[in-house]
Amino acid sequence: PSHCVNELLPVLSSPCYMGAMEDNKPWALISEVGGEQGYLEEVTDIMEQHFQLICYKDFIQNPKLHGPKIQAMFVWHRPLAEPWLLSLLPSLKVVANGGVGIDHLNVPYISSLGVKVTNTPGVVSNATADMALGLLLASARKIVEGHQIALDPKTTHLPENLMGVEVTGSTLGIIGMGHIGSKIAQRARGFDMKILYHNRNRRSVEDEQGVGASYCENMDDLLKESDFVMVALNLSPETTGLISHRELSLMKPTATLVNISRGLVVDQDALVKALQSGTIRAAALDVTHPEPLPRDHPLLGLPNVLLTPHLGTNTYTTTRRMVQRMVENALAAVKGQSIPNEVKLKWV
Ligand SMILES: O=C(O)[C@H](O)CO
């Protein structure tokens, strides 16, 4: 198998190499997204059932040789499918993204080249919702601080000052009630939370009752009432900087902001100020802008911030499902068949 580089998953093995030349499967370029580890074997094994893989590092050494044979490109949330690269891939039929967010892809431009764009909605929702609740609980109950204290050899007594806020019975405001938002609401019900949501379009009464969430037409009402504000939106021009000074100032001083969508939905400078001044209690962020943050970024020095490095979909099960879906989408596009998850709009 071919093993390139992966930031998302641990482990791996051999360095990048190209699939066997005698293989008749279509060629796919697999994006290189960081680190010196290889891809998880499950990822490349699934892909190699249908494609011959070449990783970016090998491709770029001789793009003129490799470019013309490549029909599919597998990408994760990094802007690899840029015009200069696409111009080296005259036979490309599809950019198959792993994950639901496609804000890093210029869909109109890619489509103008006759290349399809696909994503993997649905399969990411459970793992992302689990992570959302994990961040909420960890921030509320100071789990990471507790872990650090437990490890500290100087700790001689129980940390009675490490007080958290109660999750059970609190109010959760979910901004963005798509598939992931609904899964978050379902989980929050288990904590007897009162659930408010704001969404561009109100969900049906059945949907609302199904997850036990009440609609706030005005997002301000949700911000004012919630103990935890959960950002679960796609990034789009409309949602960029949606949570800024004004929105943060509407939140309770005891409230926590959790973001599992995209860093740019939150105005980070405004967030830093709100956290420094006590406008809000805390923030728990799986996403930032950029990722990773520069080492001197003020968010890294704040005691009331919990950060994880975009781990939302990082489970073996969800990764396998995503890769399976990426392959199905790419294969359908290469064969000219109907594509399960084609992205047609610039922003979804
Ligand atoms: O968009 C998604 O589904 C996740 O962020 C993984 O990239």
Side-chain angles (χ1 to χ4, degrees), residues 76-77 97-102 120 124 128 180 261-262 310 313 322:
W76 281 267
H77 51 88
N97 182 58
V100 68
I102 43 86
T120 64
V124 300
T128 309
I180 295 173
S261 66
R262 287 294 182 266
H310 205 137
T313 57
M322 276 166 59

Side-chain angles (χ1 to χ4, degrees), residues 62-91:
N62 198 341
K64 285 210 170 103
L65 173 70
H66 303 306
K69 64 192 176 201
I70 289 167
Q71 297 191 60
M73 189 166 156
F74 293 118
V75 300
W76 281 267
H77 51 88
R78 299 256 164 161
L80 187 68
E82 287 169 346
W84 67 269
L85 179 62
L86 295 171
S87 72
L88 300 171
L89 306 172
S91 312

Side-chain angles (χ1 to χ4, degrees), residues 2-3 28 31 38 53 60 80 93 148 154 207 259 283 323 329:
S2 168
H3 299 292
S31 82
L53 297 182
I60 208 62
L80 187 68
K93 294 201 170 64
Q148 279 156 358
K154 294 194 290 297
D207 285 352
N259 187 5
V323 172
N329 286 326

